Amino acid sequence: MSSMRNVVQRRNHKERAQPAQRGKWGILEKHKDYSLRARDYNEKKKRLKILREKAAERNPDEFSYGMLSSKTDRHGRRIQDRGNLSLSQDAVKLLKTQDAGYLKTVIQQTRRTREKMEQQCLLNDDNVHTFASKEDIDGGQHVIFAGTREEQQVLNSAQSNTQSTSTPATDLDGIASDGTIQVGQGSRKRTCIDSRQTARRAAEERLELKQQRAARKVRKRQQEGQQSRLKALKARERDLLAAEQQLGNGRARMSNSIGGVNKAGVRWKVRERKR
């Protein structure tokens, strides 16, 4: 009869899952998890009970020779040896010398990088620029650097006067002032050409302003990135210098050449010979 009961397929009983609204609490605890937690809790409870009994029944006059070699801190906790080997004085000095050499090398590298970054930031600064248009620079013409806006206006006026004297003026009839006859195509056609040129010039100016605005944004982002990297380099150099100074003070204290502060907070200094 039992064999026939095993033949019939029975339903698989599944454990209940964690509800969706309680998903933030993790997986739902099952009975086996509760058993492990309860067993651990009871073991800790028994251990604490034994320790309380020992503390209540201890003898205040108890003594053992191990107490002579053991040490405790100010909170009464026992300090044990970790098994680390203490280095000799010469070995510690040698290690500190190597650390000082490494710090000096890293400080030099950081200083060179910082100086190079400062030069780049100075060259990319907006305050350092020329009062010349892009066409003059790209065309390979002579660029005159002006110190102020007033000097720039004076230079521009002088340049416009030289251009006006070099090119002959043309009257409305198409005849130049030097006697040469210009080819005329009618006032209506000339007006249409002038309007087209004005529209083309306005479109070129708008495109140039748009390009200048985009270039200024890119240059501003680059300057901000350089400034942040420069600030990080300065902070790193400052920390390295402080570490080098602290290491030098430690080496000097080991050689008894300067004073310092002991573990108890008492300041001391090297006694100098009276002259």
Side-chain angles (χ1 to χ4, degrees):
M1 190 66 183
S2 61
S3 62
M4 292 298 294
R5 186 172 65 247
N6 295 332
V7 170
V8 178
Q9 184 178 4
R10 291 186 296 270
R11 177 187 174 189
N12 295 327
H13 294 277
K14 298 180 180 180
E15 294 182 346
R16 186 168 65 93
Q18 181 75 286
Q21 60 270 18
R22 292 180 56 86
K24 63 179 181 179
W25 304 112
I27 302 174
L28 183 66
E29 185 182 31
K30 305 302 185 297
H31 179 71
K32 56 182 181 180
D33 304 325
Y34 166 75
S35 301
L36 293 173
R37 187 165 57 85
R39 189 182 301 115
D40 181 65
Y41 172 76
N42 292 326
E43 288 179 357
K44 291 179 179 178
K45 191 176 180 180
K46 291 178 183 178
R47 198 176 302 122
L48 289 173
K49 183 180 178 181
I50 294 171
L51 290 174
R52 289 194 190 97
E53 292 176 355
K54 285 185 177 181
E57 298 174 358
R58 75 182 184 88
N59 182 9
D61 298 331
E62 183 181 0
F63 174 77
S64 63
Y65 284 98
M67 296 179 181
L68 297 176
S69 59
S70 62
K71 297 180 181 180
T72 57
D73 57 4
R74 59 178 182 173
H75 300 290
R77 293 175 296 199
R78 185 180 177 186
I79 301 174
Q80 294 182 347
D81 187 13
R82 297 182 180 179
N84 298 329
L85 297 177
S86 58
L87 299 176
S88 62
Q89 192 86 350
D90 297 334
V92 174
K93 286 183 180 179
L94 178 61
L95 291 176
K96 286 183 178 293
T97 303
Q98 293 177 357
D99 293 342
Y102 172 74
L103 283 176
K104 190 175 294 183
T105 303
V106 176
I107 287 172
Q108 291 177 358
Q109 293 177 356
T110 308
R111 184 181 293 113
R112 285 196 295 266
T113 308
R114 191 252 307 161
E115 291 175 354
K116 185 176 180 181
M117 187 65 66
E118 285 180 349
Q119 293 177 359
Q120 291 180 358
C121 292
L122 183 61
L123 291 176
N124 296 333
D125 193 2
D126 288 336
N127 297 326
V128 181
H129 60 280
T130 60
F131 300 111
S133 60
K134 186 175 182 299
E135 290 77 5
D136 296 338
I137 298 175
D138 295 340
Q141 299 184 12
H142 182 64
V143 180
I144 300 176
F145 295 91
T148 59
R149 291 290 180 181
E150 290 75 8
E151 295 181 5
Q152 181 194 6
Q153 293 176 1
V154 172
L155 292 173
N156 290 339
S157 60
Q159 186 178 5
S160 61
N161 292 333
T162 54
Q163 290 180 357
S164 60
T165 54
S166 60
T167 56
T170 308
D171 55 3
L172 296 177
D173 297 334
I175 303 176
S177 58
D178 56 352
T180 57
I181 300 175
Q182 303 290 337
V183 179
Q185 299 181 4
S187 60
R188 187 178 301 174
K189 192 173 182 179
R190 187 180 302 126
T191 305
C192 182
I193 293 174
D194 293 342
S195 62
R196 291 178 183 176
Q197 290 179 354
T198 305
R200 191 184 304 111
R201 193 179 300 109
E204 291 177 355
E205 289 178 357
R206 287 194 298 269
L207 180 60
E208 185 178 358
L209 288 175
K210 186 177 180 181
Q211 292 177 354
Q212 290 178 358
R213 196 178 300 113
R216 281 197 299 269
K217 288 182 179 179
V218 172
R219 187 168 61 253
K220 185 177 180 181
R221 286 196 296 267
Q222 291 178 355
Q223 290 177 357
E224 290 176 354
Q226 288 180 354
Q227 290 293 340
S228 61
R229 287 193 295 270
L230 181 60
K231 186 182 296 182
L233 285 172
K234 288 182 178 179
R236 176 179 171 82
E237 185 179 3
R238 185 170 57 252
D239 295 341
L240 288 172
L241 289 173
E244 185 184 18
Q245 184 178 3
Q246 186 176 3
L247 184 61
N249 293 337
R251 291 170 59 194
R253 282 194 298 268
M254 289 181 64
S255 60
N256 292 329
S257 60
I258 62 171
V261 182
N262 57 11
K263 295 181 179 179
V266 180
R267 298 180 63 88
W268 61 278
K269 64 178 181 178
V270 178
R271 182 173 297 176
E272 298 179 357
R273 189 181 61 181
K274 294 183 178 180
R275 296 182 179 177

